[in-house]
PDB file of all heavy atoms in Angstrom:
ATOM      1  N   MET L 220     -10.024 -18.394  -9.769  1.00 94.00           N
ATOM      2  CA  MET L 220      -9.755 -19.783 -10.153  1.00 94.00           C
ATOM      3  C   MET L 220     -10.884 -20.707  -9.717  1.00 94.00           C
ATOM      4  O   MET L 220     -11.239 -21.655 -10.428  1.00 94.00           O
ATOM      5  CB  MET L 220      -8.426 -20.229  -9.543  1.00 94.00           C
ATOM      6  CG  MET L 220      -7.943 -21.582 -10.046  1.00 94.00           C
ATOM      7  SD  MET L 220      -6.295 -21.977  -9.409  1.00 94.00           S
ATOM      8  CE  MET L 220      -6.656 -22.131  -7.663  1.00 94.00           C
ATOM      9  N   PHE L 221     -11.482 -20.425  -8.561  1.00 95.00           N
ATOM     10  CA  PHE L 221     -12.595 -21.263  -8.106  1.00 95.00           C
ATOM     11  C   PHE L 221     -13.834 -21.039  -8.961  1.00 95.00           C
ATOM     12  O   PHE L 221     -14.537 -22.006  -9.325  1.00 95.00           O
ATOM     13  CB  PHE L 221     -12.915 -20.960  -6.645  1.00 95.00           C
ATOM     14  CG  PHE L 221     -14.050 -21.771  -6.094  1.00 95.00           C
ATOM     15  CD1 PHE L 221     -13.826 -23.047  -5.609  1.00 95.00           C
ATOM     16  CD2 PHE L 221     -15.344 -21.264  -6.080  1.00 95.00           C
ATOM     17  CE1 PHE L 221     -14.878 -23.810  -5.110  1.00 95.00           C
ATOM     18  CE2 PHE L 221     -16.400 -22.010  -5.582  1.00 95.00           C
ATOM     19  CZ  PHE L 221     -16.158 -23.292  -5.098  1.00 95.00           C
ATOM     20  N   ILE L 222     -14.126 -19.803  -9.299  1.00 95.00           N
ATOM     21  CA  ILE L 222     -15.332 -19.510 -10.079  1.00 95.00           C
ATOM     22  C   ILE L 222     -15.248 -20.113 -11.471  1.00 95.00           C
ATOM     23  O   ILE L 222     -16.238 -20.650 -11.994  1.00 95.00           O
ATOM     24  CB  ILE L 222     -15.547 -17.986 -10.139  1.00 95.00           C
ATOM     25  CG1 ILE L 222     -15.865 -17.445  -8.741  1.00 95.00           C
ATOM     26  CG2 ILE L 222     -16.668 -17.615 -11.103  1.00 95.00           C
ATOM     27  CD1 ILE L 222     -15.877 -15.940  -8.647  1.00 95.00           C
ATOM     28  N   ASP L 223     -14.078 -20.056 -12.093  1.00 93.00           N
ATOM     29  CA  ASP L 223     -13.929 -20.558 -13.466  1.00 93.00           C
ATOM     30  C   ASP L 223     -13.534 -22.027 -13.531  1.00 93.00           C
ATOM     31  O   ASP L 223     -13.596 -22.616 -14.610  1.00 93.00           O
ATOM     32  CB  ASP L 223     -12.879 -19.730 -14.214  1.00 93.00           C
ATOM     33  CG  ASP L 223     -13.324 -18.289 -14.405  1.00 93.00           C
ATOM     34  OD1 ASP L 223     -14.542 -18.048 -14.440  1.00 93.00           O
ATOM     35  OD2 ASP L 223     -12.443 -17.399 -14.512  1.00 93.00           O
ATOM     36  N   GLY L 224     -13.109 -22.606 -12.405  1.00 89.00           N
ATOM     37  CA  GLY L 224     -12.650 -23.994 -12.426  1.00 89.00           C
ATOM     38  C   GLY L 224     -13.698 -24.941 -11.878  1.00 89.00           C
ATOM     39  O   GLY L 224     -13.928 -24.988 -10.661  1.00 89.00           O
ATOM     40  N   ALA L 225     -14.336 -25.678 -12.757  1.00 89.00           N
ATOM     41  CA  ALA L 225     -15.398 -26.597 -12.317  1.00 89.00           C
ATOM     42  C   ALA L 225     -14.860 -27.726 -11.449  1.00 89.00           C
ATOM     43  O   ALA L 225     -15.600 -28.289 -10.630  1.00 89.00           O
ATOM     44  CB  ALA L 225     -16.110 -27.179 -13.538  1.00 89.00           C
ATOM     45  N   LYS L 226     -13.574 -28.051 -11.582  1.00 88.00           N
ATOM     46  CA  LYS L 226     -13.019 -29.165 -10.804  1.00 88.00           C
ATOM     47  C   LYS L 226     -12.866 -28.820  -9.328  1.00 88.00           C
ATOM     48  O   LYS L 226     -12.624 -29.719  -8.513  1.00 88.00           O
ATOM     49  CB  LYS L 226     -11.672 -29.591 -11.373  1.00 88.00           C
ATOM     50  CG  LYS L 226     -10.595 -28.503 -11.303  1.00 88.00           C
ATOM     51  CD  LYS L 226      -9.285 -29.021 -11.877  1.00 88.00           C
ATOM     52  CE  LYS L 226      -8.193 -27.959 -11.802  1.00 88.00           C
ATOM     53  NZ  LYS L 226      -6.904 -28.477 -12.340  1.00 88.00           N
ATOM     54  N   PHE L 227     -13.008 -27.533  -8.965  1.00 91.00           N
ATOM     55  CA  PHE L 227     -12.900 -27.131  -7.565  1.00 91.00           C
ATOM     56  C   PHE L 227     -14.252 -26.961  -6.885  1.00 91.00           C
ATOM     57  O   PHE L 227     -14.305 -26.787  -5.672  1.00 91.00           O
ATOM     58  CB  PHE L 227     -12.124 -25.815  -7.441  1.00 91.00           C
ATOM     59  CG  PHE L 227     -10.711 -25.877  -7.933  1.00 91.00           C
ATOM     60  CD1 PHE L 227     -10.331 -25.215  -9.084  1.00 91.00           C
ATOM     61  CD2 PHE L 227      -9.755 -26.602  -7.247  1.00 91.00           C
ATOM     62  CE1 PHE L 227      -9.032 -25.268  -9.539  1.00 91.00           C
ATOM     63  CE2 PHE L 227      -8.452 -26.672  -7.684  1.00 91.00           C
ATOM     64  CZ  PHE L 227      -8.080 -26.005  -8.841  1.00 91.00           C
ATOM     65  N   HIS L 228     -15.337 -26.989  -7.635  1.00 92.00           N
ATOM     66  CA  HIS L 228     -16.642 -26.676  -7.058  1.00 92.00           C
ATOM     67  C   HIS L 228     -17.077 -27.684  -6.010  1.00 92.00           C
ATOM     68  O   HIS L 228     -17.785 -27.328  -5.062  1.00 92.00           O
ATOM     69  CB  HIS L 228     -17.686 -26.585  -8.177  1.00 92.00           C
ATOM     70  CG  HIS L 228     -17.462 -25.416  -9.084  1.00 92.00           C
ATOM     71  ND1 HIS L 228     -18.142 -25.255 -10.283  1.00 92.00           N
ATOM     72  CD2 HIS L 228     -16.607 -24.345  -8.979  1.00 92.00           C
ATOM     73  CE1 HIS L 228     -17.726 -24.141 -10.866  1.00 92.00           C
ATOM     74  NE2 HIS L 228     -16.796 -23.582 -10.102  1.00 92.00           N
ATOM     75  N   HIS L 229     -16.664 -28.927  -6.152  1.00 90.00           N
ATOM     76  CA  HIS L 229     -17.109 -29.945  -5.197  1.00 90.00           C
ATOM     77  C   HIS L 229     -16.439 -29.775  -3.826  1.00 90.00           C
ATOM     78  O   HIS L 229     -16.917 -30.318  -2.830  1.00 90.00           O
ATOM     79  CB  HIS L 229     -16.798 -31.344  -5.742  1.00 90.00           C
ATOM     80  CG  HIS L 229     -15.329 -31.660  -5.771  1.00 90.00           C
ATOM     81  ND1 HIS L 229     -14.483 -31.170  -6.749  1.00 90.00           N
ATOM     82  CD2 HIS L 229     -14.558 -32.406  -4.935  1.00 90.00           C
ATOM     83  CE1 HIS L 229     -13.252 -31.600  -6.522  1.00 90.00           C
ATOM     84  NE2 HIS L 229     -13.275 -32.358  -5.434  1.00 90.00           N
ATOM     85  N   LEU L 230     -15.342 -28.997  -3.783  1.00 90.00           N
ATOM     86  CA  LEU L 230     -14.664 -28.781  -2.501  1.00 90.00           C
ATOM     87  C   LEU L 230     -15.450 -27.844  -1.578  1.00 90.00           C
ATOM     88  O   LEU L 230     -15.308 -27.928  -0.358  1.00 90.00           O
ATOM     89  CB  LEU L 230     -13.266 -28.200  -2.737  1.00 90.00           C
ATOM     90  CG  LEU L 230     -12.263 -29.104  -3.456  1.00 90.00           C
ATOM     91  CD1 LEU L 230     -10.974 -28.348  -3.736  1.00 90.00           C
ATOM     92  CD2 LEU L 230     -11.984 -30.354  -2.637  1.00 90.00           C
ATOM     93  N   ASN L 231     -16.253 -26.971  -2.182  1.00 91.00           N
ATOM     94  CA  ASN L 231     -17.025 -25.997  -1.418  1.00 91.00           C
ATOM     95  C   ASN L 231     -16.065 -25.193  -0.507  1.00 91.00           C
ATOM     96  O   ASN L 231     -15.046 -24.709  -0.981  1.00 91.00           O
ATOM     97  CB  ASN L 231     -18.119 -26.677  -0.615  1.00 91.00           C
ATOM     98  CG  ASN L 231     -19.295 -25.740  -0.330  1.00 91.00           C
ATOM     99  OD1 ASN L 231     -19.253 -24.562  -0.671  1.00 91.00           O
ATOM    100  ND2 ASN L 231     -20.329 -26.251   0.294  1.00 91.00           N
ATOM    101  N   PHE L 232     -16.344 -25.053   0.778  1.00 92.00           N
ATOM    102  CA  PHE L 232     -15.501 -24.231   1.634  1.00 92.00           C
ATOM    103  C   PHE L 232     -14.192 -24.920   2.014  1.00 92.00           C
ATOM    104  O   PHE L 232     -13.321 -24.274   2.627  1.00 92.00           O
ATOM    105  CB  PHE L 232     -16.259 -23.818   2.890  1.00 92.00           C
ATOM    106  CG  PHE L 232     -17.183 -22.660   2.677  1.00 92.00           C
ATOM    107  CD1 PHE L 232     -18.533 -22.863   2.500  1.00 92.00           C
ATOM    108  CD2 PHE L 232     -16.698 -21.362   2.614  1.00 92.00           C
ATOM    109  CE1 PHE L 232     -19.393 -21.790   2.293  1.00 92.00           C
ATOM    110  CE2 PHE L 232     -17.542 -20.285   2.403  1.00 92.00           C
ATOM    111  CZ  PHE L 232     -18.889 -20.502   2.244  1.00 92.00           C
ATOM    112  N   TRP L 233     -14.024 -26.194   1.692  1.00 93.00           N
ATOM    113  CA  TRP L 233     -12.715 -26.820   1.869  1.00 93.00           C
ATOM    114  C   TRP L 233     -11.682 -26.193   0.925  1.00 93.00           C
ATOM    115  O   TRP L 233     -10.473 -26.354   1.118  1.00 93.00           O
ATOM    116  CB  TRP L 233     -12.801 -28.317   1.612  1.00 93.00           C
ATOM    117  CG  TRP L 233     -13.412 -29.072   2.745  1.00 93.00           C
ATOM    118  CD1 TRP L 233     -14.671 -29.614   2.804  1.00 93.00           C
ATOM    119  CD2 TRP L 233     -12.793 -29.374   4.000  1.00 93.00           C
ATOM    120  NE1 TRP L 233     -14.881 -30.222   4.015  1.00 93.00           N
ATOM    121  CE2 TRP L 233     -13.739 -30.093   4.773  1.00 93.00           C
ATOM    122  CE3 TRP L 233     -11.550 -29.112   4.568  1.00 93.00           C
ATOM    123  CZ2 TRP L 233     -13.478 -30.553   6.058  1.00 93.00           C
ATOM    124  CZ3 TRP L 233     -11.277 -29.560   5.843  1.00 93.00           C
ATOM    125  CH2 TRP L 233     -12.232 -30.268   6.577  1.00 93.00           C
ATOM    126  N   TYR L 234     -12.184 -25.473  -0.080  1.00 93.00           N
ATOM    127  CA  TYR L 234     -11.276 -24.788  -0.997  1.00 93.00           C
ATOM    128  C   TYR L 234     -10.455 -23.717  -0.279  1.00 93.00           C
ATOM    129  O   TYR L 234      -9.384 -23.337  -0.757  1.00 93.00           O
ATOM    130  CB  TYR L 234     -12.090 -24.165  -2.135  1.00 93.00           C
ATOM    131  CG  TYR L 234     -11.271 -23.410  -3.149  1.00 93.00           C
ATOM    132  CD1 TYR L 234     -10.487 -24.097  -4.083  1.00 93.00           C
ATOM    133  CD2 TYR L 234     -11.270 -22.023  -3.195  1.00 93.00           C
ATOM    134  CE1 TYR L 234      -9.734 -23.407  -5.016  1.00 93.00           C
ATOM    135  CE2 TYR L 234     -10.527 -21.325  -4.126  1.00 93.00           C
ATOM    136  CZ  TYR L 234      -9.766 -22.025  -5.037  1.00 93.00           C
ATOM    137  OH  TYR L 234      -9.014 -21.350  -5.964  1.00 93.00           O
ATOM    138  N   ALA L 235     -10.934 -23.259   0.868  1.00 92.00           N
ATOM    139  CA  ALA L 235     -10.167 -22.273   1.630  1.00 92.00           C
ATOM    140  C   ALA L 235      -8.864 -22.858   2.166  1.00 92.00           C
ATOM    141  O   ALA L 235      -7.930 -22.111   2.477  1.00 92.00           O
ATOM    142  CB  ALA L 235     -11.017 -21.727   2.780  1.00 92.00           C
ATOM    143  N   LEU L 236      -8.804 -24.185   2.286  1.00 91.00           N
ATOM    144  CA  LEU L 236      -7.592 -24.850   2.785  1.00 91.00           C
ATOM    145  C   LEU L 236      -6.840 -25.592   1.693  1.00 91.00           C
ATOM    146  O   LEU L 236      -5.599 -25.690   1.759  1.00 91.00           O
ATOM    147  CB  LEU L 236      -7.965 -25.830   3.905  1.00 91.00           C
ATOM    148  CG  LEU L 236      -8.634 -25.213   5.139  1.00 91.00           C
ATOM    149  CD1 LEU L 236      -8.998 -26.310   6.130  1.00 91.00           C
ATOM    150  CD2 LEU L 236      -7.732 -24.173   5.788  1.00 91.00           C
TER     151      LEU L 236
END
Side-chain angles (χ1 to χ4, degrees):
M220 189 175 66
F221 180 84
I222 294 171
D223 295 333
K226 63 179 181 179
F227 298 110
H228 293 169
H229 70 282
L230 294 175
N231 206 356
F232 280 100
W233 283 105
Y234 179 74
L236 299 178

